[in-house]
Amino acid sequence: MTLVAPTVADYEASADLATLVVRTTQDDVVGITAEQLRLSCKCAHCTRARFDDRFPERFAGIAITEIGDLGYGLNISFSDGHNRGIYPKPYLLSLAGR
């Protein structure tokens, strides 16, 4: 038996902009909250803020404002103005527990 790892086939923000809805090539639908995405950002700015102990513990009420498909991942912008994060598609699936 061969196991095939799911890949991202389609994505969109939920109607309330609070969740990234991801559809995989295996027809699974998973959601990742905007707050979880923002907390999981690995851009240089966020990495440095964590290192300097300046990274917030929460992003209550944060919303997804824009999604850009880069092919290998998504560039997601948030309502706090942050738009530097690139989320590789396998990373998104790991955040969703897939």
Side-chain angles (χ1 to χ4, degrees), residues 25-91:
T25 54
Q26 283 73 28
D27 293 327
D28 288 335
V29 178
V30 295
I32 309 165
T33 67
E35 182 174 32
Q36 182 182 3
L37 288 165
R38 185 65 181 87
L39 287 168
S40 301
C41 183
K42 292 188 177 198
C43 78
H45 176 79
C46 290
T47 299
R48 184 64 199 199
R50 283 186 193 91
F51 181 78
D52 292 341
D53 202 26
R54 294 181 294 110
F55 196 77
E57 291 183 22
R58 300 223 36 230
F59 287 94
I62 194 119
I64 296 168
T65 58
E66 190 173 345
I67 304 169
D69 190 344
L70 305 174
Y72 66 94
L74 303 179
N75 174 235
I76 302 174
S77 300
F78 298 93
S79 57
D80 68 349
H82 187 71
N83 62 1
R84 300 177 186 195
I86 296 174
Y87 299 80
K89 292 177 180 180
Y91 182 52

Side-chain angles (χ1 to χ4, degrees), residues 2 4 6-8 19-22 28 48 58 73-74 79-81 83 90:
T2 303
V4 178
T7 57
V8 174
T19 304
L20 178 69
V21 178
V22 179
D28 288 335
R48 184 64 199 199
R58 300 223 36 230
L74 303 179
S79 57
D80 68 349
N83 62 1

